[in-house]
Amino acid sequence: MTRTTPFDWEQFLDRITAFYHTGDWRVPYLRDHAEDPFQVLIGTILSQRTRDENTDRASARLFAKYPDARSLADATAKQIEPLIRETGFYHTKAKGIRACAREILDRFGGVVPQTLEELTSLPSVGPKTANCVLVFGYGVPGMPVDTHVHRISNRLGVVRTKTPEETEAALRATVPERFWIPVNPLLVQHGQNLCRPIGPKCPECPVADLCATGMALAAGRRPPRPADDPSVRARATRARIRPSARAARPRRRPPLR
Ligand code: SF4
């Protein structure tokens, strides 16, 4: 499903912020809230393939002992692993974050770099993590694309892509830069609540009349089939392969942020 008219990002962001009561996105979002870039970087690596609550608890434990690149680089994997165990894949993550801290120390004097190229040259740092550091650590425009941003951008009809990497490139090319910083936090919030991977609540959605999927439903046209939605297609495939595992996992509603 592709759009034939330009997408009104300003109206979209206005409505999403009003709906979730997240405040004015025009106020420099992270001016007073930008976090320590090193802790954003390490926390984002820890957040891979786990829930936010697990990341938050593990990060608090880790940074209480190793708050910066120097202290983490000097720690051993055995010292790090118990602190981050609940995020899963803790052997790999412990090695990865330690190596990352070591390179920041050796190559960048202990200061997390501020360019995508330098950030993605670090161990365990991909495009999403690098963009998160720019946006949430330095408060400068970046385009972190996770599964929520990828899925919703396709449903809105603003991109037609198969991977988060393609979505990042497409959004960078089409979204005016003044909208970049709020796009990720607001789409993630929307994806955790109404625009879920399966069963989006389009009739309740404040941007349904801006959304290609919402407009199709309102007009009585068939919404995109699961095969048109990369994230749903992937889940459907997993469900066919492991039906018992899927049934055994209850779905919990994430809290509003
Ligand atoms: S209308 Fe439906 S698909 Fe579109 S953004 Fe809203 S919940 Fe998502």
Side-chain angles (χ1 to χ4, degrees), residues 41 47 50 77 93 115-116 130 137 162 175 222 235-236:
L41 172 61
S47 75
T50 192
K93 287 181 179 177
T115 68
L116 277 181
K162 292 192 184 316
V175 180
R222 192 178 69 175
R235 281 178 173 233

Side-chain angles (χ1 to χ4, degrees), residues 12 16 152 155-156 190 194-196 200-215 217:
F12 173 84
I16 291 286
I152 298 173
R155 286 179 177 170
L156 291 171
H190 196 39
L194 290 190
C195 197
R196 298 176 193 172
K201 298 190 171 183
C202 302
E204 300 172 32
C205 180
V207 292
D209 62 317
L210 303 176
C211 171
T213 302
M215 287 190 284
L217 285 170

Side-chain angles (χ1 to χ4, degrees), residues 18-248:
F19 186 79
Y20 292 110
H21 306 290
T22 48
D24 187 354
W25 59 268
R26 290 175 184 78
V27 174
Y29 179 73
L30 294 158
R31 187 182 54 198
D32 300 323
H33 302 96
E35 298 171 42
D36 181 316
F38 177 74
Q39 297 191 359
V40 172
L41 172 61
I42 300 301
T44 307
I45 295 172
L46 294 181
S47 75
Q48 292 163 7
R49 304 176 75 176
T50 192
R51 297 180 66 86
D52 288 350
E53 308 89 273
N54 299 337
T55 304
D56 291 346
R57 284 193 295 267
S59 296
R61 279 195 299 271
L62 182 73
F63 298 139
K65 286 194 88 168
Y66 309 114
D68 51 32
R70 179 168 298 282
S71 56
L72 189 59
D74 287 342
T76 65
K78 288 283 176 240
Q79 289 173 313
I80 297 169
E81 285 174 3
L83 304 174
I84 63 168
R85 183 184 297 265
E86 71 178 308
T87 66
F89 306 97
Y90 57 93
H91 291 304
T92 305
K93 287 181 179 177
K95 279 186 197 154
I97 61 176
R98 185 170 172 272
C100 190
R102 172 53 59 191
E103 290 215 15
I104 290 170
L105 206 56
D106 293 346
R107 291 171 51 205
F108 300 103
V111 178
V112 176
Q114 287 197 50
T115 68
L116 277 181
E117 191 179 14
E118 289 173 322
L119 283 162
T120 53
S121 74
L122 294 168
S124 303
V125 179
K128 187 195 91 171
T129 300
N131 276 287
C132 280
V133 172
L134 295 183
V135 170
F136 301 112
Y138 286 115
V140 301
M143 189 60 77
V145 174
D146 63 0
T147 55
H148 293 298
V149 176
H150 175 54
R151 177 182 70 255
I152 298 173
S153 298
N154 274 277
R155 286 179 177 170
L156 291 171
V158 294
V159 300
R160 188 79 179 99
T161 51
K162 292 192 184 316
T163 66
E165 290 74 23
E166 288 178 14
T167 300
E168 182 193 335
L171 291 176
R172 280 178 173 272
T174 57
V175 180
E177 196 174 291
R178 68 182 185 280
F179 300 134
W180 285 15
I181 286 182
V183 161
N184 174 280
L186 291 176
L187 288 192
V188 169
Q189 186 167 38
H190 196 39
Q192 290 175 333
N193 289 278
L194 290 190
C195 197
R196 298 176 193 172
I198 295 175
K201 298 190 171 183
C202 302
E204 300 172 32
C205 180
V207 292
D209 62 317
L210 303 176
C211 171
T213 302
M215 287 190 284
L217 285 170
R221 298 196 305 271
R222 192 178 69 175
R225 292 167 293 141
D228 294 330
D229 185 323
S231 61
V232 171
R233 186 177 60 232
R235 281 178 173 233
T237 303
R238 286 201 299 274
R240 281 199 298 277
I241 295 170
R242 298 191 307 130
S244 58
R246 178 177 163 71

